Amino acid sequence: MNMQARPSDTILLIEDTPSLQMIYKAALTRANFAVESCGTAAEGMAAFHRLKSSVVLLDLMLPDRAGLEVMQDLLTMAPQTCVIVITANGSINKAVEMMRAGAHEFLVKPFDDQRLIAAIENARRALHHRPQPVKDAVIDVLPPFIGHSPKMLLVYDKIRSVARSMATVFITGESGTGKELCAEAVHQASARAGGPFVALNCGAIPVDLLESEVFGHLRGSFTGAISDKMGAAAAADGGTLFLDEICEMDLNLQTKLLRFLQTSTITPVGATKPRKINVRIICATNRNPLEEVRLGRFREDLYYRLHVVPIHLPALRERGDDVNEIADKLVVQMAREEGHEFSGLSPRVQELFRTLPWPGNVRQLINVLRNVVVLNSGPLVSPDMLPPDLLAERPARAAETPEDTSNRPGLGDLAGRTLAQIERIVIEDCLARHNGSVPKAARELDVSASTLYRKLDAWAKAEQSA
Amino acid sequence: MFPGAGRKNVNTSLDCAHVLPQFHGVIVTWVKRLAAIMDNTINTNLNTSASSVDVSTLTALLNMGGPELRANLCAQLITDFTRLRGALANDHGAAVARAAHEVKGLALTVGASKLADLAIGLDGVAQSLPASALALMVKPLTTEIDAVLSVLGDAAQAPA
């Protein structure tokens, strides 16, 4: 996962001997460098995440992890980082090993303050002259996303293409598929990256307050308006406004949003004069927007105004082996945060993860992994560490014998069928019970209506071609 | 300029791992003799504890900032050397090697060259030594740490 934010000027010093930490920090501070010091690898990684330092001074022998591993992680997260290794072990072999692994410079203790400062200045110069990585333009994955599945590669391409324009983006996808991440990626890749990115969840704000949250209000404009409030639209001026769960927006407010999109002006509640602002709109929903239009819950003209460049994020179960790629990276990261030792997933868990339906998508995967990492100590995630309710989600009860299934009402009919066949039986049964209403069936099955529409479409096409 | 800068940090750990399994007994005997020599050398020099630390190096280090930094640094160095002295009193070679490595970096920086030499020697072999030989190697090191602590104690009392 590459880090997106701009690197900071604060030098990160990771050295476990407090006296040496104090000495190096004093020398750098005296030379007018901003320094933050840490005594362990875990603290150092946390500080790096927070500071995004472009120059890191790293001791090779740390109490909790080898400096080499820490350096590799830092360079994986932010390849442009200049890591200056400091060590009391001055062997040539060690120096060569570290330089090969990507260290910018190798300082052997003891070294004088001039040498230290020269190393920092060299690193700064190198950063300045170093060509920006063309990596992002040629490699397929778009950070901070993880995963190489064909569906996600298409998403990355679309994000890169749309980022260059000002067009409104409409992101769809089930809950937990990373819609906000996608919106942020569009913002970060666009020319507006230096401007604000303001996210507003239309579903989480009471209808009465939503107008004020989006457009702001003036003091005294309604009971409780004790001071002027800048709305999200004004706060995003010069940047991007992300309206999540747009289909939850009240119809009256949809009218105002449409006017805002047409005129690029906002009128805060209680104000008489409109104000011109310059924002890019990205919106998202986990519903099927066209279905919402059909049901009269979403204005058709607003839909066409917003639905300029649609991006559909696939569900985790549709992303093949991405689930394991994501899990592998996250489990190591979480283990580091929790101070536990995990290096990845066992082959059995990988197999299981590929077959689970993941109704909560990546968000559910994150919660499962956090549960595992907090309650267990590695090195590999094994099936017995997984929460029992996750295992209950297993769709193909392959482990059960025919005797077992015969004792379960209804399951006997499903024995010997493929997972896809069982899924179709369940969906068709659910639709029949709801008189063909896709939204109602989707609600019962806890999936988005668009998922059901896609499946129905695929089955129809398969039958036609057959 | 940091104090110990310019002094060579010699690494003696290379290749020991390959040699030790075959010549373990010989090395243990050699270590005992070496430790005895070191012990005698240190005992004869104990009264001149100031020679344990290069005074100009330490002074330059302590004067790199204002009086507050000097006081804090003195206190921190005393804390660190005391902690490391405790960490060396361990039967596990890996733990001793780790402490010796830390002593090495710190001693080189404050100009305690004799202590640094002892730490370098121990760092290279600690993981391969039995507990009895380890104790023999650690003894002169802790004695030298005491000498360095004494110098640091004096420095902490002295006016800036």
Side-chain angles (χ1 to χ4, degrees), chain A residues 37-56:
Chain A
S37 50
C38 304
T40 63
E43 284 172 19
M45 293 304 293
F48 186 73
H49 273 287
R50 182 165 39 83
L51 295 169
K52 297 159 182 75
S53 300
S54 55
V55 179
V56 178

Side-chain angles (χ1 to χ4, degrees), chain B residues 74-123:
Chain B
C74 258
Q76 190 60 60
L77 284 166
I78 290 169
T79 306
D80 284 346
F81 275 116
T82 308
R83 170 177 58 81
L84 290 167
R85 192 187 190 288
L88 288 167
N90 196 312
D91 286 345
H92 295 284
V96 171
R98 185 167 173 75
H101 183 85
E102 200 175 340
V103 169
K104 177 170 73 174
L106 198 53
L108 286 166
T109 303
V110 300
S113 53
K114 199 184 292 176
L115 177 58
D117 285 341
L118 291 169
I120 289 166
L122 182 59
D123 182 20

Side-chain angles (χ1 to χ4, degrees), chain A residues 16-20 22-24 26-27 30 61-63 87-91 93 108-113 116, chain B residues 1-2 4-7 9 11 14 61 64-65 69 72-73 76-77 80 83 98 101-102 104-106 108-109:
Chain A
D16 62 328
T17 307
S19 306
L20 296 180
M22 196 183 277
I23 292 166
Y24 302 150
R30 201 170 54 171
M61 287 271 277
L62 294 168
T87 179
N89 182 355
S91 76
N93 291 354
V108 181
K109 297 172 190 173
F111 45 83
D112 62 34
D113 52 353
L116 176 63
Chain B
M1 172 143 170
F2 292 160
R7 189 182 182 284
N9 173 7
N11 188 307
L14 286 179
L61 183 73
M64 68 187 295
L69 178 68
N72 289 342
L73 191 51
Q76 190 60 60
L77 284 166
D80 284 346
R83 170 177 58 81
R98 185 167 173 75
H101 183 85
E102 200 175 340
K104 177 170 73 174
L106 198 53
L108 286 166
T109 303

Side-chain angles (χ1 to χ4, degrees), chain A residues 319-356:
Chain A
R319 292 174 58 180
D321 213 32
D322 279 3
V323 61
N324 289 322
E325 199 180 333
I326 296 168
D328 265 328
K329 289 203 175 168
L330 291 182
V331 82
V332 173
Q333 189 182 318
M334 288 174 182
R336 216 175 293 140
E337 289 163 6
E338 300 289 345
H340 289 186
E341 290 281 336
F342 275 99
S343 56
L345 313 179
S346 73
R348 282 184 61 205
V349 170
Q350 288 186 343
E351 196 184 335
L352 179 68
F353 274 16
R354 267 191 294 267
T355 57
L356 283 172

Side-chain angles (χ1 to χ4, degrees), chain A residues 127-141:
Chain A
L127 280 169
H128 190 67
H129 294 296
R130 193 177 283 180
Q132 287 305 302
V134 286
K135 232 177 150 187
D136 284 357
V138 289
I139 63 162
D140 41 16
V141 175

Side-chain angles (χ1 to χ4, degrees), chain A residues 3 5-13 33-34 36 47-58 74-75 77-84 102-105 119-128 130 132:
Chain A
M3 288 168 71
R6 290 173 182 180
S8 83
D9 285 341
T10 303
I11 292 158
L12 177 60
L13 166 64
F33 289 109
E36 179 149 336
F48 186 73
H49 273 287
R50 182 165 39 83
L51 295 169
K52 297 159 182 75
S53 300
S54 55
V55 179
V56 178
L57 275 165
L58 173 68
L74 295 177
L75 293 173
M77 280 186 281
Q80 292 287 295
T81 311
C82 280
V83 182
I84 299 168
H104 180 73
E105 204 156 333
I120 300 283
E121 282 171 349
N122 284 342
R124 287 271 172 91
R125 260 194 299 277
L127 280 169
H128 190 67
R130 193 177 283 180
Q132 287 305 302

